[in-house]
Amino acid sequence: MSPSRTIDCLIPCFNEQESIPALLMEIARLAEEIGNSFSEPLSLGLILVNDGSTDDTQSLATHELEVLAGFDRKILINLSRNFGKEAALLAGLRQCRSEACIILDADLQDPPHLILEMINLWLNNYKIVNAVRMDRSDDLLFKRLTAKAFYKIFDRFSHLRIQFNSSDFRLLDRVAIDAILSCNESIRFSKGFFAWVGFKQANVYFKRPPRKDGATKWGGWKLWNYALDGIFSFSTSPLRIWSYLGLIVTLIAFVLGMVAMVRTLFFGVDVPGYASLFTAVTFLGGLQLVGIGVLGEYIGRVYIETKQRPQYIIESTTELE
Ligand code: UDP
Ligand code: MG
């Protein structure tokens, strides 16, 4: 009999006490289905990263993992505080020793049954399998529009095509995991890494169900900052825009200056236009402040990167039997 191929499921959890029992029940059912569905022997592992939950996630996860069947490796990583989903994913990926890793959310919004299809594609040699939402009809109009705008801007600025409407729900082959882990930056935008590393990729499509229990941890402000991280981490175009904008404004100023000079020479001194002067001064002031702001975004990120702080601190890692 050929040695079994190894796959880990990686689930970041932050205050998911309501979701964990149902999640692990689904995961156990999935393990059984995987056992029955493939001719190749597959050995499964589960890595839960408790991202500094303040509710009962840790004790509940420990208890539920102890009794969970169908997994050969069960690991619970507890971070010392809430470091954010990106850091939790990184901690989990670093812990993964298997030939592939499947990332999914704890709230069952990433339907586990899709994993069978993802594994199938992986066995057919795809190195990354993206789960893509068929539509965003469940989202509010504002979220749909802003998400669309983000993908368009990211695409234009970074020249990197991130999979439209994909979350972090994916299967990564070992080569893709190693490639992602070789990116050392501390401000991490996984969606960008998944596209940036390349490899042969496939998509599976699904309709995302609403969250059953608990509440989303991604409010508008957090999403806005996440979008900025994505754009500033993968593109320097926002910096370069200012050279061109500056050039255009200088040219306009030159033409206006010439017009003013000619008018003064031929028609005498005339001091009109309090309103136009006021508008020009405030407009240029605003433009410069935005420019400084964009510079600040990059400088802030350079500052954070130079400190080389770890992206998270692990309080404990428990391997359950
Ligand atoms: N999550 C995390 N740390 C955080 C925020 C979220 O580990 O600081 C986890 C969360 O427990 C869930 C996943 O990331 O498993 C997605 O979070 P959520 O469901 O709140 O996001 P949404 O689906 O609303 O985008
Ligand atoms: Mg969710």
Side-chain angles (χ1 to χ4, degrees):
M1 198 168 147
S2 57
S4 41
R5 305 195 67 182
T6 50
I7 307 179
D8 286 348
C9 290
L10 164 57
I11 308 178
C13 305
F14 174 52
N15 289 347
E16 296 286 4
Q17 65 179 14
E18 288 96 352
S19 305
I20 281 185
L23 167 75
L24 293 185
M25 212 165 76
E26 279 290 319
I27 286 284
R29 195 176 307 155
L30 170 80
E32 203 180 312
E33 249 183 280
I34 290 176
N36 298 331
S37 304
F38 297 97
S39 50
E40 260 184 80
L42 295 172
S43 157
L44 296 178
L46 182 60
I47 303 172
L48 281 192
V49 183
N50 170 24
D51 183 17
S53 300
T54 48
D55 64 2
D56 274 339
T57 297
Q58 182 175 350
S59 54
L60 202 63
T62 312
H63 174 71
E64 295 270 343
L65 281 182
E66 267 167 7
V67 293
L68 180 73
F71 287 84
D72 301 317
R73 301 166 298 286
K74 292 180 279 184
I75 298 173
L76 175 64
I77 302 173
N78 290 301
L79 302 186
S80 62
R81 66 168 172 84
N82 177 238
F83 283 92
K85 185 181 176 188
E86 288 289 345
L89 287 182
L90 181 64
L93 281 181
R94 283 187 176 147
Q95 183 67 47
C96 171
R97 305 274 173 272
S98 293
E99 289 164 71
C101 183
I102 299 160
I103 299 170
L104 72 158
D105 285 357
D107 54 11
L108 288 174
Q109 283 193 286
D110 298 337
H113 65 84
L114 223 63
I115 289 176
L116 291 173
E117 211 180 319
M118 294 166 105
I119 294 178
N120 209 4
L121 286 161
W122 174 64
L123 293 173
N124 281 303
N125 233 359
Y126 284 94
K127 302 299 180 202
I128 297 183
V129 184
N130 308 299
V132 182
R133 290 169 70 175
M134 275 189 287
D135 59 48
R136 282 180 172 266
S137 51
D138 296 337
D139 284 353
L140 294 174
L141 181 68
F142 179 73
K143 195 165 178 196
R144 281 210 300 271
L145 292 178
T146 45
K148 203 166 172 184
F150 168 75
Y151 282 107
K152 273 228 162 85
I153 293 169
F154 187 90
D155 192 26
R156 183 62 58 84
F157 278 173
S158 70
H159 307 296
L160 196 66
R161 195 157 281 266
I162 50 176
Q163 184 57 56
F164 187 55
N165 276 350
S166 61
S167 59
D168 293 326
F169 186 21
R170 284 152 226 252
L171 183 148
L172 304 171
D173 181 83
R174 186 75 249 166
V175 286
I177 301 171
D178 289 340
I180 289 167
L181 291 181
S182 72
C183 300
N184 284 326
E185 59 235 67
S186 51
I187 298 173
R188 302 187 73 85
F189 180 70
S190 288
K191 274 185 214 265
F193 289 141
F194 298 141
W196 182 82
V197 295
F199 298 117
K200 195 176 159 196
Q201 304 202 7
N203 293 341
V204 293
Y205 295 88
F206 74 110
K207 195 160 168 51
R208 194 173 210 221
R211 196 182 236 277
K212 274 206 201 85
D213 306 292
T216 178
K217 281 77 188 181
W218 292 86
W221 183 244
K222 210 169 163 186
L223 278 173
W224 164 253
N225 284 311
Y226 182 64
L228 290 187
D229 274 349
I231 291 167
F232 292 132
S233 301
F234 279 87
S235 170
T236 51
S237 296
L239 276 178
R240 299 183 59 215
I241 285 174
W242 297 96
S243 321
Y244 297 104
L245 218 60
L247 202 68
I248 293 167
V249 172
T250 310
L251 280 176
I252 294 173
F254 180 74
V255 172
L256 287 177
M258 293 305 280
V259 171
M261 196 170 79
V262 169
R263 275 178 56 179
T264 313
L265 281 177
F266 290 98
F267 304 106
V269 179
D270 180 19
V271 195
Y274 161 79
S276 55
L277 205 65
F278 178 79
T279 311
V281 169
T282 49
F283 173 72
L284 286 178
L287 209 64
Q288 284 169 15
L289 285 179
V290 176
I292 294 170
V294 172
L295 257 181
E297 291 285 348
Y298 282 94
I299 293 172
R301 284 171 170 78
V302 170
Y303 175 61
I304 289 170
E305 295 293 345
T306 51
K307 285 192 285 189
Q308 294 196 319
R309 274 193 197 149
Q311 289 92 339
Y312 55 85
I313 302 289
I314 294 181
E315 189 177 305
S316 63
T317 304
T318 319
E319 283 204 41
L320 295 116
E321 292 298 316

